[in-house]
């Protein structure tokens, strides 16, 4: 698993670097600015950009000496029948998901194209990432959750990031799944008080009612 963590860290720095140049700067960085996300927040959360090339990350990781099996194992690449690999995330703004201890274990990538049916593409379950046991933002939120003795649970990546930016730092999101018992146990290490603050649309209200149970 240390190899998967290492290649995930490589991907994090690769996506961050891509945000500084070319399409990443004009498209990806432009999106973050449009959403009001500050440079300091981009840096803190390691927000990035996955380029549109078919195997940009794969090529860079191979050149840096990472094995194909680790790229596939970490959910960063897709293996094809002809033996080739392609990037799992392409042409998306990238939100890393950190473990409680601050290691990058997964990613969530958002398309900026209105016609793309898959708004978000998330890392698959891997040896280092089990969706039901992790919360986006828990690493950045844990100390203030303990200090405030409460946790606010929101739906989206941008919601978490923006609330932290505004100084409301006892906030996490449930990684695109409905709330699970393991996630509640994780929060309970720091507090027994949870406020659910999902979107006010029908889906959000139903998800909140389900989560309360």
């Amino acid at each position: 698993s240390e190899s998967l963590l290492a290649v995930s860290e490589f991907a994090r720095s690769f996506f961050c670097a891509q945000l500084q140049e070319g399409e990443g700067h004009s498209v990806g960085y432009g999106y973050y600015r449009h959403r009001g996300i500050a440079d300091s927040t981009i840096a803190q959360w390691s927000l990035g950009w996955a380029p549109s090339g078919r195997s940009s990350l794969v090529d860079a990781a191979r050149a840096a000496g990472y094995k194909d099996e680790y790229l596939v194992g970490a959910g960063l690449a897709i293996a094809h029948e002809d033996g080739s690999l392609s990037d799992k995330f392409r042409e998306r703004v990238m939100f890393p998901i950190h473990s409680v201890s601050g290691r990058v274990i997964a990613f969530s990538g958002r398309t900026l194209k209105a016609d793309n049916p898959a708004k978000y593409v998330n890392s698959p379950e891997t040896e280092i990432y089990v969706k039901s046991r992790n919360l986006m933002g828990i690493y950045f939120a844990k100390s203030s959750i303990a200090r405030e003795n409460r946790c606010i649970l929101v739906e989206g990546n941008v919601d978490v990031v923006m609330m932290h930016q505004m100084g409301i730092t006892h906030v996490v999101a449930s990684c695109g799944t409905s709330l699970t018992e393991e996630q509640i146990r994780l929060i309970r290490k720091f507090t027994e008080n949870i406020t659910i603050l999902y979107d006010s649309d029908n889906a959000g209200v139903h998800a909140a009612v389900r989560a309360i149970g």
Side-chain angles (χ1 to χ4, degrees):
S1 67
E2 196 53 47
S3 301
L4 301 187
L5 289 165
V7 78
S8 297
E9 173 56 30
F10 175 83
R12 179 199 69 79
S13 59
F14 173 81
F15 294 140
C16 287
Q18 292 297 315
L19 195 63
Q20 307 305 321
E21 54 193 55
E23 66 173 16
H25 195 265
S26 57
V27 184
Y29 183 71
Y31 167 78
Y32 292 129
R33 297 306 298 173
H34 170 69
R35 292 301 297 262
I37 299 174
D39 288 354
S40 55
T41 303
I42 291 172
Q44 181 193 356
W45 291 77
S46 292
L47 305 183
W49 172 257
S52 54
R54 184 174 184 271
S55 58
S56 304
L57 172 64
V58 167
D59 297 341
R62 281 173 171 165
Y66 291 96
K67 293 180 178 165
D68 287 4
E69 65 191 273
Y70 299 142
L71 284 161
V72 175
L76 294 162
I78 297 161
H80 301 282
E81 284 178 7
D82 63 1
S84 68
L85 292 191
S86 63
D87 290 352
K88 165 89 174 167
F89 301 98
R90 288 155 62 183
E91 213 175 343
R92 289 174 181 271
V93 287
M94 298 298 290
F95 297 82
I97 294 164
H98 299 78
S99 68
V100 179
S101 62
R103 305 291 297 268
V104 173
I105 51 174
F107 292 90
S108 181
R110 187 192 194 282
T111 184
L112 303 182
K113 294 185 166 177
D115 60 352
N116 191 322
K119 184 175 171 185
Y120 277 99
V121 165
N122 299 314
S123 292
E125 303 239 318
T126 65
E127 196 187 307
I128 57 172
Y129 177 60
V130 180
K131 250 192 295 205
S132 61
R133 289 187 201 147
N134 288 284
L135 291 157
M136 163 118 184
I138 190 69
Y139 171 65
F140 299 109
K142 63 184 180 181
S143 58
S144 59
I145 291 173
R147 194 171 57 245
E148 298 272 344
N149 193 24
R150 60 200 177 107
C151 175
I152 297 175
L153 191 70
V154 296
E155 264 184 288
N157 301 343
V158 175
D159 300 333
V160 181
V161 169
M162 286 305 291
M163 286 182 79
H164 277 255
Q165 180 172 301
M166 291 188 290
I168 306 163
T169 53
H170 51 292
V171 183
V172 295
S174 57
C175 294
T177 75
S178 358
L179 190 61
T180 67
E181 282 187 29
E182 292 111 322
Q183 288 170 333
I184 292 166
R185 283 197 194 100
L186 179 55
I187 293 170
R188 196 178 173 198
K189 288 177 180 172
F190 308 103
T191 184
E192 296 200 345
N193 304 307
I194 302 178
T195 303
I196 295 174
L197 194 65
Y198 287 173
D199 293 351
S200 59
D201 58 15
N202 263 342
V205 172
H206 286 302
V209 170
R210 272 201 314 277
I212 288 166

